[in-house]
Amino acid sequence: MALGSGAAFADGDAALTKSGCMACHSKDKKLVGPSFKDIAAKYKGQDVSAKLFEKVRKGGSGVFGPIPMSPNGADKIGDADLKDAIAVILKS
């Protein structure tokens, strides 16, 4: 679901919804991918914003199970919106 280069959203919650993150993730239960609550718990007390930023951009698997997360480029969620979305996830 591409939204155009560097699409801007009002806040992290809106970015998570409009960029399609909620198709595989939810706030408090596992869907295809881990819940935001589980991600926040795994990384609690750690400075992982840059690590998660790169994970979203490049995709990958193995951290929360074998199901891979596909890469999500700046055409899907802009850098500033991704940083806001990660902040929301880590506060879950």
Side-chain angles (χ1 to χ4, degrees):
M1 175 165 123
L3 299 173
S5 183
F9 305 109
D11 58 34
D13 283 315
L16 288 167
T17 300
K18 298 220 180 208
S19 63
C21 301
M22 304 306 284
C24 295
H25 300 276
S26 79
K27 292 185 180 195
D28 58 5
K29 67 179 180 178
K30 179 178 178 19
L31 294 177
V32 175
S35 70
F36 299 147
K37 183 178 176 182
D38 290 341
I39 295 168
K42 181 174 187 77
Y43 296 114
K44 184 176 182 174
Q46 301 176 49
D47 183 11
V48 294
S49 295
K51 177 180 179 175
L52 294 179
F53 186 95
E54 182 139 339
K55 182 73 153 180
V56 171
R57 287 292 187 236
K58 292 184 176 180
S61 67
V63 176
F64 286 92
I67 298 173
M69 182 174 82
S70 58
N72 295 278
D75 60 327
K76 187 169 184 179
I77 181 169
D79 289 350
D81 292 317
L82 178 53
K83 288 177 185 177
D84 290 345
I86 290 169
V88 167
I89 291 167
L90 293 174
K91 290 178 184 173
S92 295

